[in-house]
Amino acid sequence: AQSVAQPEDQVNVAEGNPLTVKCTYSVSGNPYLFWYVQYPNRGLQFLLKYITGDNLVKGSYGFEAEFNKSQTSFHLKKPSALVSDSALYFCAVRDGTNFGNEKLTFGTGTRLTIIP
Amino acid sequence: NAGVTQTPKFQVLKTGQSMTLQCAQDMNHEYMSWYRQDPGMGLRLIHYSVGAGITDQGEVPNGYNVSRSTTEDFPLRLLSAAPSQTSVYFCASSYSWRITDTQYFGPGTRLTVL
């Protein structure tokens, strides 16, 4: 079975400071990892994904994420937070071993608030 | 491209009523899916389809039906609405069922069952 955990329901960061949104995962095979962002009253928007290769993945809006296999983590980061980054962030995982697996499992979400 | 569209945006039903949530995409995507979003529970997969004529169950399929007669459309039917089905529903699509493909989400339908 595949699962993903976002240990923080809420993260507050001052504008201009670096931000980190945490995600850990569990799969039996190779993890394929995704980050999505949801702005108020909107659908989810894709930010970035890790499939294979470089452990540091760069995505939209200046976000990046670091894949750490030993810690089974895929934390989302940004060097300097903007007020417009305030939103709900979801981590998601698919198990790459099972090629019949068409399901994406989401975490419960982390609400990021950037304080001016 | 309109992307993934969903109708209606909002809906209020009484217990026992039936309705269909519409989802369409104009990107010629093979894979389409339905999720529900509930506070503190993230998104949970209801049903999905890897192509026209093929559907399968996700994590929480009870009380919902789907069909996929065309590539573009993937409606979700509530047969007899219950208060437990009050939620925000998202439709998503991706180019194929390959697990590396990115899913694109619609704007959602907010459903309240009284």
Side-chain angles (χ1 to χ4, degrees), chain A residues 11-24:
Chain A
V11 172
N12 296 327
V13 177
E15 186 178 19
N17 282 4
L19 69 87
T20 298
V21 183
K22 295 179 181 177
C23 171
T24 59

Side-chain angles (χ1 to χ4, degrees), chain B residues 2-112:
Chain B
V4 180
T5 58
Q6 291 183 239
T7 56
K9 283 187 168 41
F10 302 94
Q11 183 70 48
V12 179
L13 292 178
K14 294 181 180 177
T15 296
Q17 287 185 316
S18 63
M19 80 158 295
T20 299
L21 307 185
Q22 301 292 345
C23 174
Q25 52 87 13
D26 61 358
M27 299 175 281
N28 201 31
H29 284 176
E30 289 184 355
Y31 182 93
M32 297 185 75
S33 55
W34 277 102
Y35 294 86
R36 58 178 290 173
Q37 182 181 25
D38 301 294
M41 302 192 73
L43 277 76
R44 292 181 291 169
L45 183 65
I46 305 171
H47 285 285
Y48 64 97
S49 168
V50 299
I54 306 169
T55 64
D56 206 346
Q57 296 181 350
E59 297 175 68
V60 289
N62 292 342
Y64 307 95
N65 272 3
V66 292
S67 60
R68 183 98 178 268
S69 54
T70 67
T71 299
E72 294 78 19
D73 301 298
F74 191 44
L76 178 72
R77 280 182 287 277
L78 281 71
L79 305 174
S80 177
S84 61
Q85 293 179 305
T86 293
S87 187
V88 181
Y89 291 85
F90 289 100
C91 180
S93 74
S94 62
Y95 181 71
S96 78
W97 56 264
R98 282 189 294 272
I99 60 176
T100 56
D101 283 353
T102 300
Q103 290 199 48
Y104 296 89
F105 285 79
T109 294
R110 187 174 294 273
L111 175 68
T112 302

Side-chain angles (χ1 to χ4, degrees), chain A residues 32 34 36 38 41-44 46 49 51 88 90 94-96 98-99 101-104 106-108, chain B residues 31 35 37 40-43 45 48 50 57-58 90 97-107 110:
Chain A
Y32 293 165
F34 302 79
Y36 286 85
Q38 184 181 30
N41 301 312
R42 302 285 295 276
L44 278 71
F46 170 75
K49 64 182 176 183
I51 304 301
L88 187 57
F90 290 97
R94 266 175 162 166
D95 187 335
N98 181 0
F99 286 97
N101 174 25
E102 298 91 8
K103 302 173 188 175
L104 190 61
F106 284 84
T108 54
Chain B
Y31 182 93
Y35 294 86
Q37 182 181 25
M41 302 192 73
L43 277 76
L45 183 65
Y48 64 97
V50 299
Q57 296 181 350
F90 289 100
W97 56 264
R98 282 189 294 272
I99 60 176
T100 56
D101 283 353
T102 300
Q103 290 199 48
Y104 296 89
F105 285 79
R110 187 174 294 273

Side-chain angles (χ1 to χ4, degrees), chain A residues 53-64:
Chain A
D54 195 347
N55 288 345
L56 186 64
V57 179
K58 294 190 183 297
S60 306
Y61 312 122
F63 284 94
E64 58 189 27

